[in-house]
Amino acid sequence: MIQQLLYISQAPHVENIRLACEAGCRFIQLRVKNESPEAWLRLAVEAKAVCDFYEAALFINDNPGIALKVQAAGVHLGLNDLSVADARKILGPRFIIGGTANEAAHIRKHEAEGADYIGLGPFRFTTTKEKLSPVLGLDGYRRVLAEAASPLPVLAIGGILREDIDGLLNAGLHGIAVSGLITHAEDRKALVTGILHQLKTFADGTVSYSR
């Protein structure tokens, strides 16, 4: 079961992951860019150790091979990464696979290839992601979700603030994926506790990602 709050790490990755886990996050995505394969694997091993200590699930961004090597919970794939179908061939049925989407066609493609969840965005402009797709906003989310009509859990991503959460959930999203919101919080524990409570107040506040 998932509490629909996914933390996406920023550098320094391992320390920020530790702080997020300490604050109560139990779903962590290691998002590494512009590192050598050796450095990426080393970060993944260290991140997995931290997540294991806190009983948190670790997801590796873009790299099924590393997810397999460190026995992460799963992998998250961007629009220009390996396909969900190809990642499934590498990982098999046990691993959770998520895919990024910016429009309904992306969601339908990921669903057809066996994805377990969708990260839909960006909600608004964010500096944490290169080559940003068109910003959706609440109206865009409503439109894309209606067009896709998918049963997959869909998480909002991209520049999300605490005050956005109720609107996103009311628009049909199942949860949020955030980075800077938690990384730069003065009181991470209070913020994470409040967000998890906020998510649980919705009738669909817990979604099973079990395969």
Side-chain angles (χ1 to χ4, degrees):
M1 307 298 284
I2 191 168
Q3 288 179 315
Q4 296 172 282
L5 171 60
L6 177 66
Y7 172 72
I8 303 172
S9 70
Q10 298 179 9
H13 294 283
V14 177
E15 176 61 11
N16 279 328
I17 286 171
R18 183 188 67 78
L19 292 171
C21 287
E22 192 175 72
C25 293
R26 292 298 177 261
F27 294 88
I28 305 293
Q29 183 188 129
L30 176 63
R31 186 173 183 271
V32 176
K33 298 293 182 183
N34 304 317
E35 294 281 1
S36 68
E38 295 78 14
W40 197 348
L41 179 58
R42 183 170 61 252
L43 284 169
V45 169
E46 293 174 0
K48 181 64 161 56
V50 171
C51 288
D52 285 350
F53 179 82
Y54 287 97
E55 298 183 342
L58 176 67
F59 296 80
I60 305 296
N61 203 68
D62 302 349
N63 199 317
I66 287 181
L68 186 62
K69 285 181 179 179
V70 302
Q71 289 294 291
V75 67
H76 185 88
L77 304 170
L79 286 173
N80 298 315
D81 297 326
L82 196 68
S83 71
V84 170
D86 287 338
R88 185 64 73 195
K89 292 175 184 176
I90 296 169
L91 296 173
R94 183 174 61 84
F95 288 76
I96 298 166
I97 299 179
T100 296
N102 180 249
E103 56 188 58
H106 299 150
I107 296 178
R108 289 193 290 266
K109 181 177 185 293
H110 291 325
E111 180 185 348
E113 293 184 350
D116 296 294
Y117 75 93
I118 300 294
L120 180 62
F123 174 60
R124 62 163 59 88
F125 177 79
T126 174
T127 59
T128 61
K129 187 172 178 59
E130 300 175 0
K131 299 178 181 178
L132 200 66
S133 297
V135 170
L136 291 173
L138 279 177
D139 287 341
Y141 276 124
R142 294 188 186 99
R143 172 181 51 78
V144 171
L145 291 174
E147 290 177 4
S150 172
L152 292 180
V154 181
L155 306 184
I157 185 171
I160 294 166
L161 305 176
R162 176 72 187 275
E163 55 266 30
D164 299 322
I165 296 174
D166 280 349
L168 290 166
L169 294 173
N170 281 318
L173 280 300
H174 296 82
I176 60 172
V178 297
S179 183
L181 178 65
I182 292 173
T183 300
H184 304 305
E186 291 185 6
D187 188 338
R188 294 182 184 87
K189 178 69 174 178
L191 175 66
V192 171
T193 299
I195 291 173
L196 292 177
H197 176 75
Q198 196 172 355
L199 293 171
K200 287 179 181 178
T201 62
F202 282 77
D204 61 349
T206 303
V207 177
S208 173
Y209 282 4
S210 301
R211 294 193 63 78

